[in-house]
Amino acid sequence: MSEMATAGRRADMVRNRRVLLQVATEAFAELGTDVSMGEIAQRAGLAKGTVFRHFASKEDLLAAIMLQLVDRLTSTAERLAEADDADAALVEFMADGIEALAADRAFCEVIGRPSLDHAGVRDAIGRLCDAAEALTGRAQEQGTVRGDVTGTDIVLLLAGIHQTAAPLLAAQPQAWRRYLELALDGLRVTGARELPHPPGDLHLGGRSGKS
């Protein structure tokens, strides 16, 4: 096979994967995770075999969709890690994450939970927690965020704030901003009280708290 033909085949594979992820995200949001791989192939205008060449199972497809969001948030956290104003960087990271969740509630409710059983997703969430830990640590060094907050706390707060605002989002798409501000007040050093429970950890290794 010529180099030109090989390059064309690779481009087709990339395009097909992108189309599949987009179509599957929309199908799962509309119909739930019971939608078949055949239905997804039909919606994408591709052969069923093409779907399985990219994703061996529906679980792998769900995980790939979830990974897109987790990787995006991790990239955001890593990009912000070197910002001069660590507090503003942490706020931007949290706002970006909550906004992404609020933009597609069906994504979070339908795709998020089952994909958490996938090892690749769990590993990616661990990397996200590490990136959030770095952001949080810098804000603590600058004296704006209380010292007992962890990166895992921040990641869990993203989902918590989204879920708190969820009943309002249809009529008030920006309602989550109110609850983000309430959460940020709790993260600040000023007026902080000792937390009554140790921090959790989403890493596979089961580490708890800061080393």
Side-chain angles (χ1 to χ4, degrees):
M1 183 179 293
S2 68
E3 291 185 8
M4 183 176 296
T6 300
R9 184 177 179 183
R10 288 174 181 168
D12 286 342
M13 291 180 65
V14 170
R15 182 191 65 82
N16 288 343
R17 181 181 176 87
R18 183 174 63 251
V19 169
L20 281 170
L21 288 172
Q22 180 179 345
V23 168
T25 300
E26 295 170 354
F28 288 135
E30 178 186 347
L31 302 173
T33 56
D34 288 337
V35 63
S36 70
M37 296 289 268
E39 170 72 11
I40 291 169
Q42 184 177 9
R43 288 184 175 217
L46 298 170
K48 190 175 179 180
T50 301
V51 179
F52 283 105
R53 278 196 293 274
H54 286 275
F55 305 103
S57 67
K58 187 189 296 184
E59 289 71 25
D60 287 340
L61 178 55
L62 286 167
I65 295 170
M66 186 66 176
L67 280 168
Q68 289 184 128
L69 174 62
V70 177
D71 288 345
R72 170 191 159 184
L73 294 180
T74 301
S75 295
T76 299
E78 292 172 347
R79 173 177 60 80
L80 293 168
E82 302 303 321
D84 292 335
D85 187 336
D87 186 77
L90 182 61
V91 172
E92 181 178 342
F93 167 72
M94 294 183 70
D96 185 78
I98 299 165
E99 188 166 34
L101 297 175
D104 194 341
R105 287 179 292 163
F107 171 91
C108 305
E109 295 166 2
V110 175
I111 297 172
R113 291 189 183 95
S115 66
L116 294 178
D117 293 331
H118 193 282
V121 172
R122 293 199 303 270
D123 288 345
I125 290 174
R127 293 191 295 272
L128 174 60
C129 288
D130 288 339
E133 182 77 18
L135 273 179
T136 305
R138 291 198 63 244
Q140 289 165 335
E141 291 171 1
Q142 293 185 5
T144 60
V145 170
R146 53 191 299 162
D148 53 359
V149 173
T150 70
T152 297
D153 290 331
I154 297 300
V155 172
L156 289 172
L157 277 172
L158 301 182
I161 294 167
H162 165 257
Q163 289 297 325
T164 299
L168 305 174
L169 293 177
Q172 304 174 54
Q174 298 298 309
W176 58 268
R177 295 186 181 277
R178 172 183 176 85
Y179 301 100
L180 173 58
E181 289 303 318
L182 288 171
L184 289 170
D185 282 348
L187 294 174
R188 305 298 186 200
V189 170
T190 304
R193 292 179 292 179
E194 183 178 356
L195 296 174
H197 194 277
D201 199 313
L202 297 179
H203 290 75
L204 288 178
R207 301 194 307 275
S208 178
K210 296 184 176 182
S211 59

